[in-house]
PDB file of all heavy atoms in Angstrom:
ATOM      1  N   PHE A 301    -268.165-106.536-101.592  1.00 65.00           N
ATOM      2  CA  PHE A 301    -268.264-107.418-102.759  1.00 65.00           C
ATOM      3  C   PHE A 301    -269.716-107.848-103.027  1.00 65.00           C
ATOM      4  O   PHE A 301    -270.196-107.830-104.147  1.00 65.00           O
ATOM      5  CB  PHE A 301    -267.342-108.607-102.614  1.00 65.00           C
ATOM      6  CG  PHE A 301    -267.446-109.580-103.770  1.00 65.00           C
ATOM      7  CD1 PHE A 301    -266.903-109.273-104.988  1.00 65.00           C
ATOM      8  CD2 PHE A 301    -268.127-110.795-103.649  1.00 65.00           C
ATOM      9  CE1 PHE A 301    -266.956-110.120-106.048  1.00 65.00           C
ATOM     10  CE2 PHE A 301    -268.198-111.676-104.718  1.00 65.00           C
ATOM     11  CZ  PHE A 301    -267.594-111.316-105.928  1.00 65.00           C
ATOM     12  N   MET A 302    -270.401-108.185-101.941  1.00 65.00           N
ATOM     13  CA  MET A 302    -271.821-108.567-102.063  1.00 65.00           C
ATOM     14  C   MET A 302    -272.684-107.338-102.574  1.00 65.00           C
ATOM     15  O   MET A 302    -273.579-107.563-103.393  1.00 65.00           O
ATOM     16  CB  MET A 302    -272.342-109.038-100.711  1.00 65.00           C
ATOM     17  CG  MET A 302    -271.847-110.405-100.314  1.00 65.00           C
ATOM     18  SD  MET A 302    -272.737-111.107 -98.957  1.00 65.00           S
ATOM     19  CE  MET A 302    -272.417-109.973 -97.629  1.00 65.00           C
ATOM     20  N   HIS A 303    -272.341-106.171-102.113  1.00 57.00           N
ATOM     21  CA  HIS A 303    -273.009-104.954-102.624  1.00 57.00           C
ATOM     22  C   HIS A 303    -272.747-104.752-104.095  1.00 57.00           C
ATOM     23  O   HIS A 303    -273.686-104.469-104.915  1.00 57.00           O
ATOM     24  CB  HIS A 303    -272.557-103.687-101.879  1.00 57.00           C
ATOM     25  CG  HIS A 303    -272.804-103.801-100.407  1.00 57.00           C
ATOM     26  ND1 HIS A 303    -272.180-102.974 -99.465  1.00 57.00           N
ATOM     27  CD2 HIS A 303    -273.635-104.547 -99.633  1.00 57.00           C
ATOM     28  CE1 HIS A 303    -272.584-103.219 -98.257  1.00 57.00           C
ATOM     29  NE2 HIS A 303    -273.487-104.225 -98.332  1.00 57.00           N
ATOM     30  N   LEU A 304    -271.513-104.935-104.529  1.00 53.00           N
ATOM     31  CA  LEU A 304    -271.131-104.732-105.894  1.00 53.00           C
ATOM     32  C   LEU A 304    -271.754-105.690-106.818  1.00 53.00           C
ATOM     33  O   LEU A 304    -272.128-105.326-107.948  1.00 53.00           O
ATOM     34  CB  LEU A 304    -269.568-104.811-105.992  1.00 53.00           C
ATOM     35  CG  LEU A 304    -268.893-104.306-107.280  1.00 53.00           C
ATOM     36  CD1 LEU A 304    -268.992-102.787-107.333  1.00 53.00           C
ATOM     37  CD2 LEU A 304    -267.460-104.717-107.326  1.00 53.00           C
ATOM     38  N   THR A 305    -271.905-106.945-106.393  1.00 50.00           N
ATOM     39  CA  THR A 305    -272.421-107.988-107.258  1.00 50.00           C
ATOM     40  C   THR A 305    -273.939-108.044-107.128  1.00 50.00           C
ATOM     41  O   THR A 305    -274.543-109.073-107.513  1.00 50.00           O
ATOM     42  CB  THR A 305    -271.766-109.345-106.962  1.00 50.00           C
ATOM     43  OG1 THR A 305    -271.905-109.610-105.567  1.00 50.00           O
ATOM     44  CG2 THR A 305    -270.342-109.345-107.359  1.00 50.00           C
ATOM     45  N   LYS A 306    -274.552-107.107-106.515  1.00 50.00           N
ATOM     46  CA  LYS A 306    -276.029-106.941-106.462  1.00 50.00           C
ATOM     47  C   LYS A 306    -276.700-107.991-105.550  1.00 50.00           C
ATOM     48  O   LYS A 306    -277.836-108.260-105.718  1.00 50.00           O
ATOM     49  CB  LYS A 306    -276.624-106.984-107.880  1.00 50.00           C
ATOM     50  CG  LYS A 306    -276.123-105.895-108.788  1.00 50.00           C
ATOM     51  CD  LYS A 306    -276.582-104.512-108.321  1.00 50.00           C
ATOM     52  CE  LYS A 306    -276.220-103.406-109.328  1.00 50.00           C
ATOM     53  NZ  LYS A 306    -274.842-102.959-109.266  1.00 50.00           N
ATOM     54  N   PHE A 307    -275.922-108.647-104.679  1.00 54.00           N
ATOM     55  CA  PHE A 307    -276.567-109.446-103.649  1.00 54.00           C
ATOM     56  C   PHE A 307    -277.443-108.533-102.777  1.00 54.00           C
ATOM     57  O   PHE A 307    -278.495-108.991-102.271  1.00 54.00           O
ATOM     58  CB  PHE A 307    -275.519-110.187-102.796  1.00 54.00           C
ATOM     59  CG  PHE A 307    -274.982-111.433-103.431  1.00 54.00           C
ATOM     60  CD1 PHE A 307    -273.704-111.397-103.992  1.00 54.00           C
ATOM     61  CD2 PHE A 307    -275.711-112.578-103.576  1.00 54.00           C
ATOM     62  CE1 PHE A 307    -273.186-112.516-104.635  1.00 54.00           C
ATOM     63  CE2 PHE A 307    -275.182-113.704-104.225  1.00 54.00           C
ATOM     64  CZ  PHE A 307    -273.937-113.670-104.728  1.00 54.00           C
ATOM     65  N   THR A 308    -276.975-107.361-102.515  1.00 58.00           N
ATOM     66  CA  THR A 308    -277.790-106.353-101.830  1.00 58.00           C
ATOM     67  C   THR A 308    -277.773-105.118-102.752  1.00 58.00           C
ATOM     68  O   THR A 308    -277.011-105.023-103.723  1.00 58.00           O
ATOM     69  CB  THR A 308    -277.152-105.974-100.478  1.00 58.00           C
ATOM     70  OG1 THR A 308    -275.929-105.292-100.637  1.00 58.00           O
ATOM     71  CG2 THR A 308    -276.977-107.245 -99.624  1.00 58.00           C
ATOM     72  N   LYS A 309    -278.503-104.116-102.373  1.00 65.00           N
ATOM     73  CA  LYS A 309    -278.533-102.878-103.167  1.00 65.00           C
ATOM     74  C   LYS A 309    -277.993-101.699-102.417  1.00 65.00           C
ATOM     75  O   LYS A 309    -278.351-100.529-102.701  1.00 65.00           O
ATOM     76  CB  LYS A 309    -279.956-102.592-103.645  1.00 65.00           C
ATOM     77  CG  LYS A 309    -280.479-103.654-104.628  1.00 65.00           C
ATOM     78  CD  LYS A 309    -281.830-103.242-105.188  1.00 65.00           C
ATOM     79  CE  LYS A 309    -282.305-104.294-106.173  1.00 65.00           C
ATOM     80  NZ  LYS A 309    -283.627-103.986-106.741  1.00 65.00           N
ATOM     81  N   LEU A 310    -277.090-101.938-101.434  1.00 64.00           N
ATOM     82  CA  LEU A 310    -276.519-100.860-100.635  1.00 64.00           C
ATOM     83  C   LEU A 310    -275.598 -99.966-101.487  1.00 64.00           C
ATOM     84  O   LEU A 310    -275.480 -98.764-101.148  1.00 64.00           O
ATOM     85  CB  LEU A 310    -275.700-101.452 -99.466  1.00 64.00           C
ATOM     86  CG  LEU A 310    -275.394-100.480 -98.321  1.00 64.00           C
ATOM     87  CD1 LEU A 310    -276.638 -99.954 -97.694  1.00 64.00           C
ATOM     88  CD2 LEU A 310    -274.440-101.139 -97.287  1.00 64.00           C
ATOM     89  N   CYS A 311    -275.037-100.498-102.570  1.00 66.00           N
ATOM     90  CA  CYS A 311    -274.188 -99.706-103.390  1.00 66.00           C
ATOM     91  C   CYS A 311    -274.933 -98.556-104.099  1.00 66.00           C
ATOM     92  O   CYS A 311    -274.366 -97.602-104.629  1.00 66.00           O
ATOM     93  CB  CYS A 311    -273.466-100.585-104.467  1.00 66.00           C
ATOM     94  SG  CYS A 311    -274.640-101.414-105.561  1.00 66.00           S
ATOM     95  N   GLU A 312    -276.270 -98.661-104.089  1.00 71.00           N
ATOM     96  CA  GLU A 312    -277.088 -97.599-104.666  1.00 71.00           C
ATOM     97  C   GLU A 312    -277.271 -96.449-103.697  1.00 71.00           C
ATOM     98  O   GLU A 312    -277.807 -95.382-104.026  1.00 71.00           O
ATOM     99  CB  GLU A 312    -278.478 -98.187-105.056  1.00 71.00           C
ATOM    100  CG  GLU A 312    -278.333 -99.187-106.205  1.00 71.00           C
ATOM    101  CD  GLU A 312    -279.754 -99.842-106.517  1.00 71.00           C
ATOM    102  OE1 GLU A 312    -280.745 -99.331-105.948  1.00 71.00           O
ATOM    103  OE2 GLU A 312    -279.775-100.804-107.279  1.00 71.00           O
ATOM    104  N   PHE A 313    -276.786 -96.600-102.433  1.00 75.00           N
ATOM    105  CA  PHE A 313    -276.831 -95.594-101.399  1.00 75.00           C
ATOM    106  C   PHE A 313    -275.448 -95.302-100.898  1.00 75.00           C
ATOM    107  O   PHE A 313    -275.065 -95.839 -99.819  1.00 75.00           O
ATOM    108  CB  PHE A 313    -277.798 -95.997-100.257  1.00 75.00           C
ATOM    109  CG  PHE A 313    -279.194 -96.426-100.745  1.00 75.00           C
ATOM    110  CD1 PHE A 313    -279.501 -97.757-100.978  1.00 75.00           C
ATOM    111  CD2 PHE A 313    -280.170 -95.454-100.979  1.00 75.00           C
ATOM    112  CE1 PHE A 313    -280.756 -98.091-101.390  1.00 75.00           C
ATOM    113  CE2 PHE A 313    -281.422 -95.841-101.387  1.00 75.00           C
ATOM    114  CZ  PHE A 313    -281.744 -97.136-101.628  1.00 75.00           C
ATOM    115  N   PRO A 314    -274.714 -94.500-101.586  1.00 79.00           N
ATOM    116  CA  PRO A 314    -273.286 -94.246-101.208  1.00 79.00           C
ATOM    117  C   PRO A 314    -273.121 -93.731 -99.770  1.00 79.00           C
ATOM    118  O   PRO A 314    -272.099 -94.054 -99.111  1.00 79.00           O
ATOM    119  CB  PRO A 314    -272.822 -93.168-102.240  1.00 79.00           C
ATOM    120  CG  PRO A 314    -273.785 -93.290-103.370  1.00 79.00           C
ATOM    121  CD  PRO A 314    -275.094 -93.742-102.789  1.00 79.00           C
ATOM    122  N   MET A 315    -274.090 -92.918 -99.256  1.00 85.00           N
ATOM    123  CA  MET A 315    -273.972 -92.468 -97.903  1.00 85.00           C
ATOM    124  C   MET A 315    -273.965 -93.569 -96.864  1.00 85.00           C
ATOM    125  O   MET A 315    -273.174 -93.649 -95.973  1.00 85.00           O
ATOM    126  CB  MET A 315    -275.090 -91.531 -97.611  1.00 85.00           C
ATOM    127  CG  MET A 315    -275.072 -90.825 -96.242  1.00 85.00           C
ATOM    128  SD  MET A 315    -273.684 -89.647 -96.116  1.00 85.00           S
ATOM    129  CE  MET A 315    -274.350 -88.317 -97.098  1.00 85.00           C
ATOM    130  N   LEU A 316    -274.863 -94.563 -97.097  1.00 83.00           N
ATOM    131  CA  LEU A 316    -274.899 -95.714 -96.172  1.00 83.00           C
ATOM    132  C   LEU A 316    -273.674 -96.607 -96.333  1.00 83.00           C
ATOM    133  O   LEU A 316    -273.153 -97.102 -95.361  1.00 83.00           O
ATOM    134  CB  LEU A 316    -276.178 -96.569 -96.465  1.00 83.00           C
ATOM    135  CG  LEU A 316    -277.541 -95.812 -96.352  1.00 83.00           C
ATOM    136  CD1 LEU A 316    -278.697 -96.720 -96.638  1.00 83.00           C
ATOM    137  CD2 LEU A 316    -277.727 -95.246 -94.895  1.00 83.00           C
ATOM    138  N   GLU A 317    -273.222 -96.778 -97.585  1.00 82.00           N
ATOM    139  CA  GLU A 317    -272.046 -97.589 -97.857  1.00 82.00           C
ATOM    140  C   GLU A 317    -270.818 -96.988 -97.202  1.00 82.00           C
ATOM    141  O   GLU A 317    -270.024 -97.697 -96.518  1.00 82.00           O
ATOM    142  CB  GLU A 317    -271.843 -97.720 -99.362  1.00 82.00           C
ATOM    143  CG  GLU A 317    -270.853 -98.754 -99.758  1.00 82.00           C
ATOM    144  CD  GLU A 317    -270.705 -98.866-101.283  1.00 82.00           C
ATOM    145  OE1 GLU A 317    -271.039 -97.935-101.974  1.00 82.00           O
ATOM    146  OE2 GLU A 317    -270.245 -99.922-101.722  1.00 82.00           O
ATOM    147  N   THR A 318    -270.676 -95.673 -97.276  1.00 86.00           N
ATOM    148  CA  THR A 318    -269.552 -94.956 -96.653  1.00 86.00           C
ATOM    149  C   THR A 318    -269.649 -95.050 -95.141  1.00 86.00           C
ATOM    150  O   THR A 318    -268.632 -95.272 -94.474  1.00 86.00           O
ATOM    151  CB  THR A 318    -269.535 -93.454 -97.077  1.00 86.00           C
ATOM    152  OG1 THR A 318    -269.519 -93.404 -98.537  1.00 86.00           O
ATOM    153  CG2 THR A 318    -268.330 -92.729 -96.548  1.00 86.00           C
ATOM    154  N   GLY A 319    -270.899 -94.937 -94.611  1.00 86.00           N
ATOM    155  CA  GLY A 319    -271.065 -94.984 -93.154  1.00 86.00           C
ATOM    156  C   GLY A 319    -270.672 -96.414 -92.629  1.00 86.00           C
ATOM    157  O   GLY A 319    -270.037 -96.479 -91.589  1.00 86.00           O
ATOM    158  N   LEU A 320    -271.085 -97.461 -93.332  1.00 85.00           N
ATOM    159  CA  LEU A 320    -270.754 -98.790 -92.939  1.00 85.00           C
ATOM    160  C   LEU A 320    -269.228 -99.024 -92.965  1.00 85.00           C
ATOM    161  O   LEU A 320    -268.607 -99.633 -92.063  1.00 85.00           O
ATOM    162  CB  LEU A 320    -271.464 -99.792 -93.895  1.00 85.00           C
ATOM    163  CG  LEU A 320    -271.403-101.302 -93.442  1.00 85.00           C
ATOM    164  CD1 LEU A 320    -272.131-101.474 -92.113  1.00 85.00           C
ATOM    165  CD2 LEU A 320    -272.004-102.147 -94.524  1.00 85.00           C
ATOM    166  N   PHE A 321    -268.598 -98.551 -94.061  1.00 86.00           N
ATOM    167  CA  PHE A 321    -267.137 -98.633 -94.189  1.00 86.00           C
ATOM    168  C   PHE A 321    -266.435 -97.986 -93.029  1.00 86.00           C
ATOM    169  O   PHE A 321    -265.517 -98.580 -92.429  1.00 86.00           O
ATOM    170  CB  PHE A 321    -266.749 -97.990 -95.541  1.00 86.00           C
ATOM    171  CG  PHE A 321    -265.277 -98.017 -95.848  1.00 86.00           C
ATOM    172  CD1 PHE A 321    -264.732 -99.038 -96.627  1.00 86.00           C
ATOM    173  CD2 PHE A 321    -264.428 -97.046 -95.325  1.00 86.00           C
ATOM    174  CE1 PHE A 321    -263.364 -99.078 -96.928  1.00 86.00           C
ATOM    175  CE2 PHE A 321    -263.051 -97.097 -95.605  1.00 86.00           C
ATOM    176  CZ  PHE A 321    -262.555 -98.135 -96.380  1.00 86.00           C
ATOM    177  N   PHE A 322    -266.881 -96.770 -92.679  1.00 88.00           N
ATOM    178  CA  PHE A 322    -266.282 -96.003 -91.583  1.00 88.00           C
ATOM    179  C   PHE A 322    -266.408 -96.739 -90.244  1.00 88.00           C
ATOM    180  O   PHE A 322    -265.442 -96.873 -89.455  1.00 88.00           O
ATOM    181  CB  PHE A 322    -266.927 -94.615 -91.507  1.00 88.00           C
ATOM    182  CG  PHE A 322    -266.458 -93.772 -90.315  1.00 88.00           C
ATOM    183  CD1 PHE A 322    -265.264 -93.143 -90.334  1.00 88.00           C
ATOM    184  CD2 PHE A 322    -267.285 -93.731 -89.204  1.00 88.00           C
ATOM    185  CE1 PHE A 322    -264.869 -92.391 -89.188  1.00 88.00           C
ATOM    186  CE2 PHE A 322    -266.821 -92.985 -88.091  1.00 88.00           C
ATOM    187  CZ  PHE A 322    -265.634 -92.360 -88.074  1.00 88.00           C
ATOM    188  N   LEU A 323    -267.662 -97.197 -89.977  1.00 90.00           N
ATOM    189  CA  LEU A 323    -267.920 -97.841 -88.636  1.00 90.00           C
ATOM    190  C   LEU A 323    -267.197 -99.153 -88.471  1.00 90.00           C
ATOM    191  O   LEU A 323    -266.711 -99.488 -87.373  1.00 90.00           O
ATOM    192  CB  LEU A 323    -269.432 -97.974 -88.469  1.00 90.00           C
ATOM    193  CG  LEU A 323    -270.222 -96.655 -88.316  1.00 90.00           C
ATOM    194  CD1 LEU A 323    -271.732 -96.962 -88.316  1.00 90.00           C
ATOM    195  CD2 LEU A 323    -269.832 -96.020 -87.026  1.00 90.00           C
ATOM    196  N   LEU A 324    -267.106 -99.933 -89.532  1.00 88.00           N
ATOM    197  CA  LEU A 324    -266.393-101.203 -89.476  1.00 88.00           C
ATOM    198  C   LEU A 324    -264.880-100.939 -89.260  1.00 88.00           C
ATOM    199  O   LEU A 324    -264.193-101.722 -88.561  1.00 88.00           O
ATOM    200  CB  LEU A 324    -266.596-102.079 -90.693  1.00 88.00           C
ATOM    201  CG  LEU A 324    -267.947-102.776 -90.770  1.00 88.00           C
ATOM    202  CD1 LEU A 324    -268.254-103.337 -92.149  1.00 88.00           C
ATOM    203  CD2 LEU A 324    -267.985-103.934 -89.733  1.00 88.00           C
ATOM    204  N   SER A 325    -264.366 -99.906 -89.877  1.00 88.00           N
ATOM    205  CA  SER A 325    -262.964 -99.581 -89.723  1.00 88.00           C
ATOM    206  C   SER A 325    -262.668 -99.107 -88.296  1.00 88.00           C
ATOM    207  O   SER A 325    -261.689 -99.501 -87.707  1.00 88.00           O
ATOM    208  CB  SER A 325    -262.563 -98.471 -90.712  1.00 88.00           C
ATOM    209  OG  SER A 325    -262.767 -98.841 -92.031  1.00 88.00           O
ATOM    210  N   TRP A 326    -263.597 -98.295 -87.728  1.00 89.00           N
ATOM    211  CA  TRP A 326    -263.435 -97.827 -86.365  1.00 89.00           C
ATOM    212  C   TRP A 326    -263.614 -99.015 -85.407  1.00 89.00           C
ATOM    213  O   TRP A 326    -262.931 -99.045 -84.372  1.00 89.00           O
ATOM    214  CB  TRP A 326    -264.518 -96.801 -86.092  1.00 89.00           C
ATOM    215  CG  TRP A 326    -264.327 -96.045 -84.859  1.00 89.00           C
ATOM    216  CD1 TRP A 326    -264.700 -96.335 -83.554  1.00 89.00           C
ATOM    217  CD2 TRP A 326    -263.646 -94.752 -84.693  1.00 89.00           C
ATOM    218  NE1 TRP A 326    -264.367 -95.354 -82.694  1.00 89.00           N
ATOM    219  CE2 TRP A 326    -263.641 -94.408 -83.314  1.00 89.00           C
ATOM    220  CE3 TRP A 326    -262.992 -93.902 -85.608  1.00 89.00           C
ATOM    221  CZ2 TRP A 326    -263.085 -93.198 -82.883  1.00 89.00           C
ATOM    222  CZ3 TRP A 326    -262.459 -92.721 -85.170  1.00 89.00           C
ATOM    223  CH2 TRP A 326    -262.469 -92.422 -83.781  1.00 89.00           C
ATOM    224  N   SER A 327    -264.392 -99.972 -85.759  1.00 90.00           N
ATOM    225  CA  SER A 327    -264.604-101.115 -84.940  1.00 90.00           C
ATOM    226  C   SER A 327    -263.320-101.943 -84.732  1.00 90.00           C
ATOM    227  O   SER A 327    -263.115-102.584 -83.726  1.00 90.00           O
ATOM    228  CB  SER A 327    -265.706-102.091 -85.471  1.00 90.00           C
ATOM    229  OG  SER A 327    -266.961-101.407 -85.534  1.00 90.00           O
ATOM    230  N   ALA A 328    -262.462-101.971 -85.805  1.00 90.00           N
ATOM    231  CA  ALA A 328    -261.179-102.651 -85.681  1.00 90.00           C
ATOM    232  C   ALA A 328    -260.373-102.067 -84.563  1.00 90.00           C
ATOM    233  O   ALA A 328    -259.742-102.836 -83.744  1.00 90.00           O
ATOM    234  CB  ALA A 328    -260.425-102.539 -87.011  1.00 90.00           C
ATOM    235  N   PHE A 329    -260.338-100.754 -84.436  1.00 91.00           N
ATOM    236  CA  PHE A 329    -259.595-100.063 -83.373  1.00 91.00           C
ATOM    237  C   PHE A 329    -260.230-100.436 -81.996  1.00 91.00           C
ATOM    238  O   PHE A 329    -259.483-100.842 -81.060  1.00 91.00           O
ATOM    239  CB  PHE A 329    -259.602 -98.556 -83.618  1.00 91.00           C
ATOM    240  CG  PHE A 329    -259.070 -97.791 -82.449  1.00 91.00           C
ATOM    241  CD1 PHE A 329    -257.689 -97.611 -82.319  1.00 91.00           C
ATOM    242  CD2 PHE A 329    -259.854 -97.247 -81.461  1.00 91.00           C
ATOM    243  CE1 PHE A 329    -257.164 -96.912 -81.289  1.00 91.00           C
ATOM    244  CE2 PHE A 329    -259.354 -96.525 -80.429  1.00 91.00           C
ATOM    245  CZ  PHE A 329    -257.963 -96.357 -80.300  1.00 91.00           C
ATOM    246  N   LEU A 330    -261.499-100.239 -81.875  1.00 91.00           N
ATOM    247  CA  LEU A 330    -262.169-100.511 -80.595  1.00 91.00           C
ATOM    248  C   LEU A 330    -262.106-101.941 -80.112  1.00 91.00           C
ATOM    249  O   LEU A 330    -261.911-102.205 -78.919  1.00 91.00           O
ATOM    250  CB  LEU A 330    -263.640-100.013 -80.675  1.00 91.00           C
ATOM    251  CG  LEU A 330    -263.890 -98.554 -80.944  1.00 91.00           C
ATOM    252  CD1 LEU A 330    -265.354 -98.251 -81.180  1.00 91.00           C
ATOM    253  CD2 LEU A 330    -263.348 -97.686 -79.831  1.00 91.00           C
TER     254      LEU A 330
END
Side-chain angles (χ1 to χ4, degrees):
F301 178 72
M302 287 194 296
H303 298 163
L304 191 72
T305 52
K306 300 294 186 279
F307 281 104
T308 69
K309 293 186 178 180
L310 195 63
C311 60
E312 295 176 8
F313 305 96
M315 184 67 75
L316 301 180
E317 193 177 21
T318 304
L320 190 64
F321 181 94
F322 172 81
L323 292 172
L324 282 167
S325 301
W326 193 274
S327 297
F329 172 83
L330 296 174

